[in-house]
Amino acid sequence: TLTAFQLYANIQYLSDKSPKPIPAIFGNRTENHAYEFGVSKQTEFGMKGKLAYSLNHTLISGIDPLVIAQFHPSIDYYSASPVLELSQSFLRNGFGSETRAQVEATQASALSNNHAENYRAKVIEAEAEIAYWRLALARDALNVQKDSVERAGKIRDWNAKRLKLNLNDESDLLQSEAALKLRTLELQSVSDENRTASLNFNSLRGTDSPEVKEGLPSLATVDITKIPLPAKAAKREDVEASFQAQRAAIASAQLGMEKHKPNLELYTSLALNGRNTAFGDTVSDSMGTSKPVVAVGARFALPLDFGTVSDVNHGYAQESRGAELKYQRKLFEQDKEWNDVRSKYDEAKKRLDLAQQIEDVQRKKFLREKDRQTRGRTTTFLVLQFEQDLASSEFARLRLQAEILTLIAQMKTFETTEDLHSGAKK
């Protein structure tokens, strides 16, 4: 917008009753209605231009009639003038260097803010997704723990019946009773985590409630192998924001140094003029070339505090260097964080495969030992231990699934906004 055409207009009313040196000639009151409108432009190569048209209506009161008759045909007249003004900078803002720096700083700052806000939005979306999977994990863990409590209760009841029939020792019943209480205590802990996860999930939705009425899919039904991995962009949104901030800082430093340079400016103006008692004749006369006003000149200014200027310019240079180093650090951290997340994902996938195999083995082992117990060929201790092993393997598998889904959510912050939107459409 700095180099765009600007349309402007000025309107002014003047009433001048100040004392005049010769009232008989200059009157005792001057009224003036002034109007000016035009377009202006600042070019990228340092030239400023303005094309305007001004119109004035002047009324002078209080002049001696004898003077009017002798020296002036009228006290009420119009004047109009089209004006073209051009100026070109050569030292400060030489060939538009200051203008380009200002445009660069403005654009880069706006882009930096845009990318920063995009990244904040992605982080919030990732936090929401992580909260979603945390709640799904808490619900699945709650179901697993409820099953564990139910199995422990059945084992306790089974041992109680056998004790009544004098088929086993009371220690087996006490052992199963202790196991049931332990599973119940663990259930309470899992229930607390489910409540906390629900509160966190609702908080991100702007709701203060421990209840989430919507149903969530079980982690067991989520096929992680079919979830496409997010693609890493060359520059994450926050890194792009840092890059644009670097551009803005460099441009701002350049702009600051330009302001302390000597100023040499050449300028010229051309104005046509018309004056008449009739409005239409005045406008018509103003388009003629018989009464032009031409001006050509130069302006020069030089700051004399050379030491301060040098120190300020050095500070601007350091600011540019600092912005560049900050961006390079941000770029390094982005690659480091991506490699870390991707490495954790690959390792978690391997551990998940192993955890699923362990869970299958633990389930077969528990079912086999429980069958042996019904035939009196094993102890309650082993059944309880195998049941705990099965529950632990189920928890391990659920945690790994949630961890992988959380890592995928974190990877999405490395996508560009366009990739994220196209992935959502798919």
Side-chain angles (χ1 to χ4, degrees), residues 119 121-139 193-194 196-202 204-205 216 219 341 344 398-399 401-414:
Y119 181 68
K122 287 183 180 180
V123 170
I124 292 173
E125 290 175 1
E127 289 176 352
E129 187 171 345
I130 291 171
Y132 177 89
W133 294 125
R134 177 187 176 185
L135 179 57
L137 170 62
R139 287 188 171 184
E193 167 58 21
N194 181 71
T196 301
S198 297
L199 282 170
N200 184 50
F201 181 75
N202 280 334
L204 291 173
R205 299 194 298 175
L216 274 68
L219 292 177
V341 172
K344 288 180 179 179
L398 289 172
R399 282 194 295 268
Q401 286 180 309
E403 179 182 348
I404 290 173
L405 292 170
T406 295
L407 291 171
I408 292 175
Q410 292 175 356
M411 289 182 189
K412 291 179 181 178
T413 62
F414 289 83

Side-chain angles (χ1 to χ4, degrees), residues 265-268 295-299:
E265 184 179 36
L266 300 182
Y267 66 89
T268 183
V296 177
R299 301 184 184 95

Side-chain angles (χ1 to χ4, degrees), residues 169-206:
D169 192 76
E170 185 180 5
S171 60
D172 288 337
L173 176 61
L174 294 176
Q175 190 175 40
S176 61
E177 184 71 33
L180 175 59
K181 292 185 180 298
L182 179 61
R183 302 294 184 273
T184 303
L185 179 61
E186 292 171 348
L187 176 62
Q188 183 59 49
S189 177
V190 174
S191 297
D192 292 341
E193 167 58 21
N194 181 71
R195 185 178 185 279
T196 301
S198 297
L199 282 170
N200 184 50
F201 181 75
N202 280 334
S203 176
L204 291 173
R205 299 194 298 175

